[in-house]
Amino acid sequence: QDKGTKMTEFWLISAPGEKTCQQTWEKLHAATTKHNNLSTNSKFNIPDLKVGTLDVLVGLSDELAKLDAFVESVVKKVAQYMADVLEDSKDKVQENLLANGGNVLTILPPNQWQAEHKFSSSSLDTVPFLFIFKGVNQIDNDLKARASAYNNLKGNLQNLERKNAGSLLTRSLADIVKKEDFVLDSEYLVTLLVIVPKLNYNDWVKQYETLAEMVVPRSSNVLFEDQDSYLCNVTLFRKAVDDFKHKAREYKFMVRDFQYNEEEMKADKEEMNRLSTDKKKQFGPLVRWLKVNFSEAFIAWIHVKALRVFVESVLRYGLPVNFQAMLLQPNKKTMKKLREVLYDLYKHLDSSAAAIIDATMDIPGLNLSQQEYYPYVYYKIDCNLLEFK
């Protein structure tokens, strides 16, 4: 699998050991490769865990199903937030999620069982379960806190950016006007800023000096333009301002409420720079945190799947523990064929289910309460949920 290959789904299955578990593995491998590679397969080694009573296993089966859903939701959230943080580079999500430019396969099989000392010597009913839940719950809570802080910053910056864009009637003028555009500190004179639609600009040039008494001749310049309008200044006597505003409105010239204040404008600019710098500073560490914790959550998720396979295999195939777990990556185009091959291999494991399946469907798989049922133990690891458009 090269880096460009889309992440996809994996099937984690188990079947009872025949004469040996190795034989179970060889049989499956031969069956799927004989029909021009229906899947890429690897053994999925699960350490022997201490098995409690049947009641405990049944209870654990339900708990693990809930834990599976919870951990999957956190894996999704971390991946989704990585996509949000990377904004314009959504196509980089996968390489950022997968450390060292690997692919899902590199973090999939816990052949080197991630936390061997934490799991293998423990009895099945408590430690791994709590250990995984606590770890993933912590990631979930940290994500909420980090996302909230970063989103706040991003939101404030976007608001300021919006203030610095938008129409001339509302946008910030801090980066547009200069001190020399105004008559300042005069007892009698004042400079106004007027938004003049481009279509009416000729009228403005002809009219502005006569819109009121006491307008300073030739005091208007174009300071800035956007798509539709010009921003012009004009200087006049303070006492003529109301008159001028009123008259200007008739010609569709809008006088903008604006006092030139250097301190305020400087503060605006500084705030913008501060937020922008803060966002840049937080971006790197946040992406690193998401990377590390995606990997943690994903590995935890695979461990939950492994625990589910273990519990389900013991419940179905009985004691002593004797089964081979296997990880299959189906070929997209031949999934249906792969199901049929697996069905033929394993239908003898559960003849009553097989009979119902044969009677009702051409595709071997029975929907019992939304959960597909097969004569062999089966869990899907759906990595398609990590693709972002």
Side-chain angles (χ1 to χ4, degrees):
Q1 256 219 345
D2 62 301
K3 276 190 229 172
T5 318
K6 281 253 193 291
M7 294 190 191
T8 175
E9 68 181 58
F10 297 82
W11 295 356
L12 184 51
I13 71 167
S14 90
E18 309 214 355
K19 285 199 182 71
T20 61
C21 286
Q22 179 61 20
Q23 205 179 342
T24 308
W25 157 250
E26 282 165 5
K27 206 166 166 184
L28 167 100
H29 199 54
T32 57
T33 45
K34 168 169 87 185
H35 301 272
N36 59 29
N37 287 351
L38 297 177
S39 55
T40 310
N41 312 321
S42 60
K43 277 185 185 175
F44 191 94
N45 298 325
I46 301 173
D48 274 345
L49 297 154
K50 289 183 189 151
V51 179
T53 63
L54 193 61
D55 284 356
V56 167
L57 284 180
V58 171
L60 198 59
S61 177
D62 292 344
E63 289 301 312
L64 282 169
K66 287 181 204 148
L67 183 62
D68 190 350
F70 170 65
V71 179
E72 179 180 332
S73 75
V74 175
V75 168
K76 259 189 203 165
K77 274 189 229 169
V78 176
Q80 180 57 62
Y81 196 62
M82 177 71 97
D84 294 351
V85 168
L86 290 177
E87 292 174 38
D88 306 326
S89 346
K90 281 210 176 33
D91 51 330
K92 302 250 178 356
V93 173
Q94 287 178 21
E95 65 190 66
N96 269 292
L97 288 178
L98 301 171
N100 322 325
N103 56 36
V104 175
L105 283 173
T106 55
I107 51 176
L108 257 175
N111 289 342
Q112 298 71 44
W113 185 264
Q114 226 31 41
E116 197 136 5
H117 59 288
K118 296 190 181 87
F119 287 117
S120 43
S121 60
S122 54
S123 74
L124 197 51
D125 48 341
T126 50
V127 181
F129 186 86
L130 284 171
F131 175 74
I132 291 173
F133 176 74
K134 276 186 176 157
V136 176
N137 202 34
Q138 185 64 51
I139 291 174
D140 194 33
N141 291 332
D142 286 356
L143 177 65
K144 281 181 194 136
R146 281 165 191 266
S148 157
Y150 188 74
N151 290 351
N152 243 334
L153 188 59
K154 200 161 123 180
N156 292 340
L157 187 59
Q158 278 167 343
N159 288 340
L160 269 189
E161 281 165 352
R162 264 198 295 276
K163 257 176 77 177
N164 285 330
S167 93
L168 283 170
L169 277 169
T170 53
R171 65 167 288 171
S172 156
L173 302 177
D175 53 343
I176 291 176
V177 296
K178 300 178 192 64
K179 199 171 183 175
E180 53 268 29
D181 299 329
F182 295 83
V183 171
L184 298 168
D185 310 321
S186 159
E187 201 180 327
Y188 301 107
L189 293 173
V190 64
T191 301
L192 300 180
L193 294 180
V194 186
I195 312 317
V196 178
K198 286 187 173 174
L199 297 170
N200 308 47
Y201 181 66
N202 288 338
D203 294 346
W204 169 256
V205 175
K206 282 188 210 136
Q207 308 281 354
Y208 81 87
E209 292 176 359
T210 56
L211 286 176
E213 289 179 359
M214 305 191 195
V215 176
V216 177
R218 298 192 198 153
S219 63
S220 176
N221 296 296
V222 173
L223 307 181
F224 186 80
E225 61 176 287
D226 64 12
Q227 246 177 324
D228 316 302
S229 316
Y230 293 110
L231 177 71
C232 304
N233 59 353
V234 60
T235 301
L236 60 155
F237 277 73
R238 287 182 188 276
K239 57 181 174 187
V241 166
D242 287 344
D243 209 14
F244 183 89
K245 279 184 179 173
H246 185 69
K247 205 66 194 273
R249 207 173 294 126
E250 288 174 22
Y251 287 94
K252 299 197 173 68
F253 309 142
M254 299 303 295
V255 176
R256 199 177 142 165
D257 206 12
F258 182 84
Q259 255 83 44
Y260 183 84
N261 179 329
E262 215 154 1
E263 290 307 304
E264 248 172 56
M265 283 164 31
K266 202 170 130 201
D268 262 13
K269 266 190 189 156
E270 280 168 2
E271 175 68 350
M272 181 94 167
N273 288 338
R274 187 183 69 74
L275 289 173
S276 174
T277 311
D278 267 8
K279 188 181 162 195
K280 283 194 190 101
K281 259 192 208 145
Q282 287 190 26
F283 177 81
L286 182 58
V287 168
R288 276 196 296 283
W289 184 90
L290 288 166
K291 244 185 197 176
V292 168
N293 287 278
F294 172 79
S295 188
E296 286 293 308
F298 195 90
I299 288 167
W301 190 34
I302 303 311
H303 280 90
V304 175
K305 295 284 189 200
L307 290 170
R308 291 190 78 184
V309 168
F310 187 89
V311 170
E312 194 62 25
S313 299
V314 174
L315 284 173
R316 283 217 209 172
Y317 310 142
L319 287 169
V321 173
N322 179 27
F323 66 89
Q324 178 63 54
M326 298 163 280
L327 185 72
L328 282 56
Q329 185 180 19
N331 225 321
K332 267 189 183 159
K333 296 192 177 100
T334 52
M335 279 190 180
K336 193 174 164 189
K337 179 71 183 150
L338 177 61
R339 274 286 176 228
E340 285 162 9
V341 167
L342 293 178
Y343 178 63
D344 286 339
L345 266 182
Y346 300 126
K347 62 183 172 194
H348 65 281
L349 294 176
D350 188 339
S351 48
S352 56
I356 299 170
I357 291 167
D358 282 339
T360 54
M361 287 179 157
D362 60 336
I363 303 177
L366 180 65
N367 288 326
L368 296 174
S369 71
Q370 266 50 68
Q371 189 56 52
E372 296 167 286
Y373 183 86
Y374 300 95
Y376 46 94
V377 171
Y378 159 80
Y379 292 103
K380 181 160 76 170
I381 300 168
D382 186 2
C383 299
N384 294 314
L385 57 85
L386 309 175
E387 283 176 21
F388 299 95
K389 299 294 171 274

